Amino acid sequence: MKPKGFDYLKATSVGEATEALARGGEDVRLIAGGMSLVPMLNFRLVEPSILIDISKIADRKYIREERGMVEIGSATRQCELENWDEVSEKLPLLAEALPVLGHYQTRARGTVCGSLVHADPSSELPLCLATLGGEVVLSSSKGSRTLKASDFQTGMLSVAKRADEMVTAVRYPVAERGVGYAFKEMSQRHGDYAIVALAAVASENKIKLGVGGVADKPTVREWENLDDNALDEALNTFAWELGGYDDIHASARYRRELVRRLGKKTIEEARKCRS
Amino acid sequence: MPQLSKDARHPVSCTLNGKEVSGYAEPRMLLSDFLTHEIGITSCHVGCEHGVCGACTVLVDGNITRACLTFAVQIDGCQIDTSECLANADGELSDLQKAFKKHHGLQCGYCTPGILMSLTAYLKENQDPSEQELREILSGHLCRCTGYVGMVRAVLDYCKNKTT
């Protein structure tokens, strides 16, 4: 399994990368950590003519707090966010999700933004972004724009990034006081893609549940505070709306059952974290 | 940096286990193939070639890296460490390697170099890991012989003797 031939360009700035994207047309791919892209190259599922390496763009390697958001640059690796001193305080949902994102070995190289662009429906970082209502910053040689999480991911492995754009940063909203956050997932082995992943946010009057791995992209529902039977009913309706699919890992029915049961547990956990 | 053409072989230099080495690679050449076929070391084992099995794990500038998910042209100028760097110059095994030998942390040994490099990086961050933490690290590697029991024992023993 070897990739098909491609030209290679190591970009040293966002400008250099976006100019190359503008010249290259549809057939260009960006590589940051490569943890999702290189397997697809090795299997020849993707055959770009040019590969632009954006992992060495020094000014894209940062985590900073600005206007109630934590902004993470496109060269920032997942392990760097996981080991960030303030991750538990500022992004408690991500602090729970990151340790189950792939393996220690892949987090050492995979980037936060790369995982969002790859947009696997059961992936942890897109789910957290959708649930928290974050945003993605895209740049091209013509300028930059910001998209809400719900407008960014359009479906399975597909995002609203144009061929001449690169994601330069992502912004996750900072945790609010008096709000509880919880993340749970079911996977066959530690480090596998989740069969179903769940992210819950519980505030005084509302609960929000994001579900990955059932529909073709992370899907979020918000309810006024519900308890027991009303919550079960709401989760059941949500599960049927999500649909789900059969694959070698699990049936659609099992996925819906996880939404009902593990979804409830995740919400309960988020409520506990409020205090 | 100029765009490297897919049809040409480009010079790639790196510091491998403390020594300067260089070779040539097309952009599509994986680091695992570069180390094995171009440089000629034997420890970078290729198992699955899509980042799942972990046999090809090496350190690039001290960071754990799947060599099969990295291109040789990406590591030009970097420092690469493979399991060849673990033993002393006279061939005496490192303490971690000795612990693996003592506790049967390997049988066929194909996955072992990658696992040793993962652990080398991890144990710098955490010198007193729990069994659960070790099992999570080892979950990034596939071993079809040992069932991981001996490896866990070996690392716990190594850490215990190191701290006392």
Side-chain angles (χ1 to χ4, degrees):
Chain A
M1 295 189 314
K2 312 291 176 190
K4 204 174 161 189
F6 51 78
D7 288 358
Y8 173 84
L9 177 69
K10 192 179 279 179
T12 53
S13 66
V14 171
E16 193 182 354
T18 51
E19 272 166 39
L21 280 171
R23 278 197 312 271
E26 299 279 326
D27 224 11
V28 184
R29 280 282 180 149
L30 299 173
I31 181 167
M35 295 297 101
S36 304
L37 177 64
V38 184
M40 296 202 296
L41 291 170
N42 286 359
F43 281 118
R44 301 199 177 196
L45 297 170
V46 184
E47 298 182 342
S49 58
I50 307 170
L51 199 62
I52 304 173
D53 191 342
I54 55 168
S55 65
K56 293 286 162 67
I57 302 180
D59 67 356
R60 290 292 103 197
K61 209 173 196 28
Y62 63 86
I63 303 170
R64 65 179 171 228
E65 196 183 336
E66 235 173 48
R67 290 186 300 249
M69 303 274 228
V70 175
E71 186 174 309
I72 300 152
S74 53
T76 308
R77 301 194 190 283
Q78 291 153 8
C79 66
E80 290 165 334
L81 183 59
E82 189 183 0
N83 296 329
W84 183 44
D85 292 341
E86 298 173 77
V87 71
S88 303
E89 185 197 337
K90 300 284 166 62
L91 301 171
L93 188 64
L94 282 115
E96 284 190 46
L98 282 161
V100 293
L101 196 178
H103 296 285
Y104 176 77
Q105 290 84 351
T106 56
R107 294 195 296 277
R109 212 161 169 84
T111 61
V112 175
C113 290
S115 179
L116 294 166
V117 176
H118 182 62
D120 189 283
S122 61
S123 187
E124 291 82 0
L125 290 171
L127 171 60
C128 292
L129 193 75
T131 308
L132 295 175
E135 53 193 41
V136 177
V137 186
L138 300 120
S139 293
S140 72
S141 56
K142 292 170 201 145
S144 62
R145 61 179 178 141
T146 304
L147 284 180
K148 281 193 253 169
S150 51
D151 297 326
F152 179 67
Q153 185 162 354
T154 51
M156 188 179 285
L157 305 182
S158 61
V159 294
K161 184 181 85 62
R162 292 195 308 261
D164 67 337
E165 285 179 315
M166 75 173 265
V167 169
T168 48
V170 58
R171 297 186 187 126
Y172 284 95
V174 174
E176 293 172 55
R177 272 169 199 276
V179 177
Y181 301 86
F183 187 94
K184 286 186 190 295
E185 69 174 41
M186 180 64 87
S187 61
Q188 284 182 321
R189 289 161 303 185
H190 180 88
D192 280 5
Y193 270 119
I195 295 169
V196 173
L198 298 133
V201 180
S203 56
E204 198 183 342
N205 303 315
K206 283 185 176 161
I207 41 177
K208 195 153 70 163
L209 184 71
V211 178
V214 186
D216 65 343
K217 62 173 183 172
T219 311
V220 185
R221 278 286 180 285
E222 194 167 28
W223 300 282
E224 300 296 320
N225 247 342
L226 299 172
D227 281 307
D228 298 327
N229 288 345
L231 181 57
D232 288 338
E233 214 159 288
L235 285 170
N236 182 43
T237 310
F238 188 21
W240 281 109
E241 281 168 11
L242 288 165
Y245 48 88
D246 296 318
D247 65 13
I248 54 166
H249 304 297
S251 63
R253 185 180 168 189
Y254 180 65
R255 287 187 156 88
R256 288 191 294 269
E257 193 62 12
L258 282 173
V259 174
R260 293 182 196 104
R261 296 196 186 193
L262 201 56
K264 192 171 183 187
K265 272 192 188 163
T266 315
I267 289 169
E268 282 166 359
E269 178 100 6
R271 281 177 168 157
K272 266 190 236 156
C273 295
R274 273 194 63 219
S275 46
Chain B
M1 183 186 170
Q3 190 163 315
L4 304 181
S5 161
K6 65 177 178 204
D7 300 318
R9 280 158 54 82
H10 307 276
V12 174
S13 308
C14 60
T15 309
L16 178 64
N17 300 323
K19 281 186 203 151
E20 298 296 320
V21 297
S22 57
Y24 289 87
E26 290 176 10
R28 75 185 190 114
M29 185 180 232
L30 298 167
L31 175 58
S32 45
D33 289 330
F34 179 76
L35 291 174
T36 305
H37 302 299
E38 192 67 14
I39 304 298
I41 64 161
T42 56
S43 75
C44 184
H45 293 170
V46 171
C48 69
E49 227 166 34
H50 63 287
V52 173
C53 79
C56 67
T57 304
V58 300
L59 305 186
V60 175
D61 293 335
N63 299 315
I64 293 179
T65 301
R66 303 286 209 221
C68 75
L69 297 186
T70 308
F71 295 108
V73 289
Q74 292 184 283
I75 60 90
D76 189 34
C78 293
Q79 187 183 322
I80 313 292
D81 291 303
T82 63
S83 68
E84 274 93 344
C85 76
L86 297 176
N88 296 341
D90 59 9
E92 188 193 352
L93 296 179
S94 71
D95 290 343
L96 182 62
Q97 287 172 308
K98 280 180 192 161
F100 262 63
K101 190 177 170 188
K102 182 179 164 193
H103 292 279
H104 302 282
L106 68 156
Q107 184 175 307
C108 83
Y110 198 76
C111 66
T112 316
I115 290 175
L116 288 171
M117 295 322 286
S118 264
L119 289 170
T120 299
Y122 176 69
L123 293 172
K124 275 192 187 138
E125 279 179 26
N126 183 359
Q127 293 173 356
D128 186 23
S130 65
E131 176 173 346
Q132 180 59 33
E133 286 170 327
L134 279 177
R135 287 191 177 275
E136 284 191 23
I137 302 308
L138 290 171
S139 76
H141 292 271
L142 290 179
C143 171
R144 301 290 80 163
C145 302
T146 66
Y148 309 94
V149 176
M151 289 180 208
V152 172
R153 250 179 234 152
V155 185
L156 291 174
D157 188 27
Y158 163 78
C159 292
K160 199 175 91 191
N161 289 325
K162 209 180 159 209
T163 47
T164 50

